[in-house]
Amino acid sequence: MPAPAGGDDLPAAQQPVWPDPVALEAAVSTLGTYPPLVFAGECDVLKERMAAVSRGEAFVLQGGDCAETFASATADNIRDRVKTILQMAAVLTYGASVPVVKVGRMAGQYAKPRSSDSETREGVTLPAFRGDMVNDFEFTPEARTPDPQRLVRAYHASSATLNLVRAFTTGGFADLRHVQEWNRGFVANAAFARYERLAKDIDRALRFMSACGADFDRMKTTEFFSAHEALLLDYERPLTRVDSRTGDLYDTSGHFVWVGERTRDLGGAHLDFVSRIRNPVGVKVSANADVDDLLRVIDLLDPEREPGRLTFITRMGSRRVRDALPTIVERVTASGAPVTWVCDPMHGNTFESSSGFKTRDFEDVVDEVRGFFEVHRGLGTHPGGIHVELTGNDVTECIGGSEKILDADLGTRYESVCDPRLNHQQSLELAFLVAEMLGQD
Ligand SMILES: O=C[C@H](O)[C@H](O)COP(=O)(O)O
Ligand SMILES: C=C(OP(=O)(O)O)C(=O)O
């Protein structure tokens, strides 16, 4: 049964206008009868891992689609995204000798905040696409009308996704001894070849350790956590449950949930909601964030100053990160709050290309991560991780990378229904570059 989380009277930004309140009520109460997708104890484990990240003892990799879709929740797509994250984690772990906490932006990332409530094409104006949890991407009045039954479909799609992710990560697929096999099926290219060499090195090291009698049982499985933006409160609230062990509330729609840049207003329903749950939580922070507001956010979300509880996911843009981040990190650190710092190098670097596609330049993505590391190294704080929009597919959505995707190439395979993602090769390239940055201690 859902727990009455409260806060329903507070203003909630970025919510859809559901046309049929009776249908909404029915969908919300159906969700309330469904089992939790994650167990509170797993959320606590992730909180411990995030605490290690905040102390500089581990690095967190959060990655996945900008917006998952029901149609793309196929076995192949899920497998390739998981493989990409496992490969990136192997590169980071081996390259920088640091444990990597793996978190998929998966199994719940079905709702999107938008800059505008509507979209106009050739003189026709319709509601904006707000994610498959709300409406359909197709540009017709029927498809764009918010349908609460989609909340229920999002639960089932998330459940199926998580089921497969759990199967992959605990059933032997993620065994580090298969590190070379994770490259199979991807297009051969420069990053692929570099990974192939790294995988051979890891394999050789594992064989050596095996010959020395090491016990590899713990390598058969890997921890993998789910995360999404806690945007649609009509989805998150009915999935919020009382933990029978402690009596505390947990949002059981995912292990880690975050509040976005557009919904993190103090006094708003989103921060209030995450203040009531005990999951590890994140808040996106742009270059425009007011540091006094952020200190109030800390007091609201982490009054006990619990390591691992609160992550600030900074997304400032490559041009602003070096100016805007230092004051924020300094003031937060001076306050004594054990915040975990993660860099999202995607959302501050979006622009419209001359061919009309929403895109990001791989160089800007890398430069923002570099700026993030520079700032933290300069202040003696820990650059805790990265949060990236990526796919295991060979899409052409972000320009640049060693494949040198150009503006003119974007139309070749642009599949995102919202923001541009790094493709498989760009994701691996980023991992190699971040491993170098991490290794420079
Ligand atoms: O993923 C983030 C936001 O949903 C997205 O950047 C908003 O995009 P829009 O400006 O096209 O609405
Ligand atoms: C909308 C997102 O980011 P932000 O809130 O930082 O704009 C996102 O990560 O999907």
Side-chain angles (χ1 to χ4, degrees):
M1 282 294 290
D8 326 35
D9 49 336
L10 296 173
Q14 295 282 346
Q15 303 303 289
V17 181
W18 303 108
D20 182 347
V22 178
L24 174 63
E25 182 65 40
V28 169
S29 43
T30 300
L31 284 177
T33 65
Y34 284 167
L37 289 171
V38 301
F39 166 52
E42 296 174 314
C43 302
D44 293 344
V45 171
L46 177 58
K47 208 189 289 176
E48 282 169 27
R49 303 290 179 263
M50 295 303 286
V53 171
S54 75
R55 293 189 296 268
E57 295 161 9
F59 192 75
V60 62
L61 170 62
Q62 303 184 326
D65 277 332
C66 168
E68 293 180 281
T69 63
F70 298 151
S72 67
T74 64
D76 286 359
N77 282 329
I78 296 166
R79 181 203 57 212
D80 287 348
R81 238 173 309 147
V82 170
K83 277 205 296 187
T84 303
I85 294 171
L86 292 176
Q87 287 187 299
M88 292 174 78
V91 169
L92 288 162
T93 311
Y94 192 72
S97 305
V98 70
V100 174
V101 182
K102 296 172 271 298
V103 183
R105 229 184 111 106
M106 290 172 90
Q109 183 55 24
Y110 286 102
K112 297 305 299 173
R114 299 311 302 251
S115 312
S116 166
D117 283 338
S118 60
E119 182 181 346
T120 301
R121 290 189 201 171
E122 294 165 3
V124 179
T125 300
L126 294 174
F129 171 63
R130 286 188 169 275
D132 265 10
M133 196 186 275
V134 175
N135 55 2
D136 193 279
F137 185 64
E138 198 192 341
F139 196 72
T140 65
E142 300 72 37
R144 289 293 172 97
T145 303
D147 173 3
Q149 204 44 42
R150 288 177 163 270
L151 295 166
V152 177
R153 283 183 70 189
Y155 172 91
H156 290 300
S158 301
S159 163
T161 301
L162 205 51
N163 183 51
L164 192 58
V165 170
R166 287 188 194 281
F168 282 145
T169 53
T170 60
F173 177 85
D175 189 324
L176 200 54
R177 284 165 292 184
H178 296 164
V179 67
Q180 280 178 287
E181 280 159 43
W182 301 336
N183 220 15
R184 299 234 169 94
F186 291 125
V187 176
N189 53 46
F192 178 102
R194 192 170 173 192
Y195 179 84
E196 199 79 357
R197 287 195 294 279
L198 173 128
K200 278 199 180 112
D201 285 350
I202 295 178
D203 194 52
R204 207 171 300 122
L206 290 176
R207 279 170 203 279
F208 168 72
M209 286 169 64
S210 171
C212 297
D215 175 6
F216 287 115
D217 272 0
R218 286 193 54 208
M219 287 188 182
K220 281 194 187 133
T221 63
T222 192
E223 282 182 343
F224 196 102
F225 301 95
S226 66
H228 63 269
E229 178 171 354
L231 180 65
L232 247 65
L233 297 171
D234 291 325
Y235 182 75
E236 308 300 336
R237 282 187 179 133
L239 289 170
T240 298
R241 307 292 164 81
V242 175
D243 174 18
S244 56
R245 304 168 309 161
T246 58
D248 288 334
L249 290 181
Y250 282 79
D251 183 352
T252 63
S253 66
H255 299 111
F256 178 99
V257 289
W258 75 86
V259 176
E261 168 67 12
R262 293 168 183 79
T263 51
R264 62 168 169 77
D265 36 319
L266 283 152
H270 291 87
L271 286 184
D272 176 80
F273 171 72
V274 295
S275 76
R276 292 166 190 266
I277 58 171
R278 300 306 312 142
N279 307 53
V281 296
V283 175
K284 291 289 198 88
V285 175
S286 76
N288 301 325
D290 179 287
V291 68
D292 291 316
D293 278 352
L294 295 178
L295 295 175
R296 283 190 278 271
V297 168
I298 295 172
D299 286 339
L300 179 65
L301 301 189
D302 187 23
E304 310 291 333
R305 305 295 193 254
E306 184 188 3
R309 156 70 176 165
L310 179 60
T311 298
F312 277 161
I313 307 170
T314 61
R315 32 84 87 213
M316 314 222 143
S318 62
R319 281 162 204 77
R320 305 230 16 223
V321 61
R322 291 171 179 83
D323 298 334
L325 187 57
T327 312
I328 293 176
V329 176
E330 265 173 325
R331 293 270 314 273
V332 169
T333 307
S335 80
V339 163
T340 308
W341 297 100
V342 167
C343 173
D344 163 0
M346 313 301 290
H347 286 88
N349 292 312
T350 319
F351 63 94
E352 189 174 318
S353 77
S354 47
S355 57
F357 286 99
K358 213 176 167 188
T359 192
R360 290 158 176 155
D361 188 330
F362 184 73
E363 289 307 314
D364 294 338
V365 170
V366 173
D367 191 46
E368 176 155 0
V369 183
R370 230 182 259 296
F372 173 79
F373 270 82
E374 282 165 24
V375 169
H376 283 286
R377 293 268 152 79
L379 296 171
T381 46
H382 300 298
I386 53 170
H387 177 116
V388 274
E389 290 183 337
L390 59 81
T391 169
N393 299 340
D394 193 23
V395 298
T396 55
E397 296 171 2
C398 292
I399 60 175
S402 64
E403 224 177 347
K404 298 199 176 23
I405 295 177
L406 304 172
D407 188 346
D409 302 321
L410 292 175
T412 313
R413 194 170 166 191
Y414 195 103
E415 295 177 359
S416 177
V417 288
C418 197
D419 284 353
R421 302 158 296 175
L422 300 181
N423 64 20
H424 176 252
Q425 144 137 335
Q426 291 167 330
S427 303
L428 281 189
E429 279 180 58
L430 179 66
F432 279 113
L433 291 166
V434 174
E436 279 166 21
M437 296 176 210
L438 250 182
Q440 277 164 13
D441 263 333

